[in-house]
Amino acid sequence: MTTYHCPDCGSHSATSSLTWCCPDCRGPWDLDFQASPVRLEALAGRVNSLWRYEEALPLSGPAASLGEGRTPLVELTRTVSAKLDFLTPTLSFKDRGAVMLAELARRLGPRRVIADSSGNAGTAVAAYCARAGLGCTVYVPEATSAKKVEQIRAHGARLEIVPGDREMTAAAARTAADADGVFYASHVYNPYFLHGTKTYVYELWEDLGGRLPEAIVVPVGNGTLLLGAAQALSELHTHGLIDSRPALIAVQAEAVSPLAAAFHAGADGLLDGSPARPTLAEGIAIPRPPRARQILRAVREWGGTFLTVTEDEIRAAQRDLAARGLFVESTGVACWAAAGTWTDRTAVVPLCGAGLKTGLAP
């Protein structure tokens, strides 16, 4: 039976339990799950969603699916392509992980589902809980985009607007998550979410005919897309389905870049007192990501690095993409803002959220 395990202290728990974190050290869970090889030639004729990679997923036969995944890959320059992950049911890549959480919750039948988010993850959880017939409550910071708040409400979720920042919002949700009968649909603490986001790389591998670009570039706040990508790279490499080892490049806003600071200082974990300032990239403005050590380790393991982008670079990147026909929210353009750094090698950047969610950056 698949179980949760704590990468820090080694504790275990059944995935049928509603225990949302390690009871001993309060750290995030990992999942004891061994993916089977996905054969390229076996994919023809399968369902046109992320569930086509069934051998690699810890759940199968979903009732909560909205057809998520299989987003287009388009060329931006001779060497850089973009994966349009804003073309998902709720207009952000968070659908990849949210469907896994909602499907798990549907099978467990909790009394209540809760989530916390700066907007996109909460929207995705609200939508997929609606699809699964589950009521949910979403905690968001008071500064969350009005359009994202409206989207969460439209899916029927109860909204808890928390005075303060993203960390205070997470703390409020985690307190509520300790109540009996609650399923915490956490995109940070629950590893099923990461097994959803890893399908981003499986799709790249399929679309590129069984190979990958020289660099996979992802924006990082809590690191859910990066850790999912690292999981997929490990699985593909272990199964002999890729020969090369793509560099895993992480991008943060300069205003909130605790992981970049730790990485370039050679640290295994976060440094004390990393400064945080307001940023247009609200979705990655995470001062203390709970999976920091795992994120740093993954970037080093895959020969990558951390890059940071300024607010002016974010504004310019959003306008540049819009001029190319792609209106992307300010968080989702962070990787394109850093694009000049790796023009000497092939790379793919994710465009993670639709511009309609936040509007054009001022």
Side-chain angles (χ1 to χ4, degrees):
M1 184 178 67
T2 303
T3 60
Y4 294 129
H5 79 269
C6 176
D8 293 328
C9 72
S11 295
H12 286 77
S13 177
T15 54
S16 58
S17 165
L18 296 179
T19 303
W20 61 268
C21 68
C22 173
D24 296 324
C25 70
R26 303 287 285 183
W29 289 122
D30 278 353
L31 195 64
D32 286 327
F33 169 74
Q34 296 297 319
S36 297
V38 176
R39 301 298 178 188
L40 200 61
E41 62 273 13
L43 295 174
R46 288 192 180 182
V47 61
N48 193 37
S49 72
L50 63 81
W51 297 94
R52 67 197 281 108
Y53 311 111
E54 58 185 354
E55 299 93 334
L57 296 175
L59 296 173
S60 61
S65 177
L66 290 166
E68 53 289 330
R70 300 296 292 144
T71 54
L73 184 65
V74 301
E75 186 178 281
L76 293 179
T77 71
R78 183 180 59 83
T79 56
V80 180
S81 295
K83 189 155 175 60
L84 310 190
D85 249 31
F86 62 88
L87 296 179
T88 59
T90 76
L91 307 181
S92 92
F93 88 94
K94 296 290 176 62
D95 289 355
R96 294 182 181 274
V99 67
M100 301 294 288
L101 296 183
E103 182 62 27
L104 179 61
R106 185 187 70 81
R107 298 179 188 199
L108 296 179
R111 178 177 57 82
R112 182 182 176 205
V113 176
I114 67 169
D116 62 282
S117 169
S118 59
N120 284 341
T123 297
V125 170
Y128 283 94
C129 279
R131 178 69 168 176
L134 298 166
C136 77
T137 301
V138 180
Y139 291 72
V140 298
E142 59 186 347
T144 301
S145 159
K147 295 179 180 180
K148 292 180 181 179
V149 168
E150 181 181 11
Q151 196 177 7
I152 292 169
R153 284 194 171 120
H155 291 305
R158 174 184 167 190
L159 202 65
E160 292 284 350
I161 298 176
V162 179
D165 60 13
R166 181 68 182 84
E167 288 197 313
M168 294 175 71
T169 302
R174 290 167 196 163
T175 297
D178 285 329
D180 290 339
V182 171
F183 179 86
Y184 183 22
S186 172
H187 59 293
V188 181
Y189 278 78
N190 193 303
Y192 277 87
F193 193 93
L194 306 181
H195 283 271
T197 61
K198 77 180 180 185
T199 59
Y200 172 86
V201 168
Y202 273 94
E203 289 179 20
L204 289 182
W205 170 77
E206 182 183 0
D207 290 342
L208 295 173
R211 59 183 179 85
L212 288 171
E214 294 169 289
I216 294 175
V217 190
V218 292
V220 176
N222 275 310
T224 55
L225 182 55
L226 183 139
L227 290 172
Q231 181 68 38
L233 290 173
S234 178
E235 291 170 2
L236 289 167
H237 194 266
T238 297
H239 295 144
L241 297 173
I242 53 172
D243 297 325
S244 61
R245 291 177 58 86
L248 195 51
I249 298 176
V251 179
Q252 294 204 287
E254 186 179 88
V256 187
S257 52
L259 291 161
F263 181 88
H264 292 297
D268 293 330
L270 297 176
L271 306 176
D272 291 334
S274 296
R277 304 185 303 278
T279 177
L280 295 166
E282 61 180 11
I284 54 173
I286 309 296
R288 301 197 65 80
R291 293 188 185 267
R293 289 182 176 273
Q294 290 175 272
I295 296 166
L296 293 166
R297 186 166 58 248
V299 173
R300 291 184 174 118
E301 178 183 349
W302 287 96
T305 191
F306 273 84
L307 305 172
T308 60
V309 292
T310 67
E311 299 304 292
D312 285 344
E313 287 171 332
I314 291 170
R315 290 186 185 93
Q318 188 184 40
R319 285 166 170 76
D320 179 71
L321 284 171
R324 297 168 185 261
L326 299 166
F327 186 29
V328 183
E329 68 169 319
S330 48
T331 297
V333 306
C335 292
W336 182 238
T341 307
W342 61 80
T343 51
D344 60 332
R345 52 183 162 175
T346 59
V348 172
V349 301
L351 304 183
C352 296
L356 295 174
K357 285 175 169 282
T358 57
L360 196 64

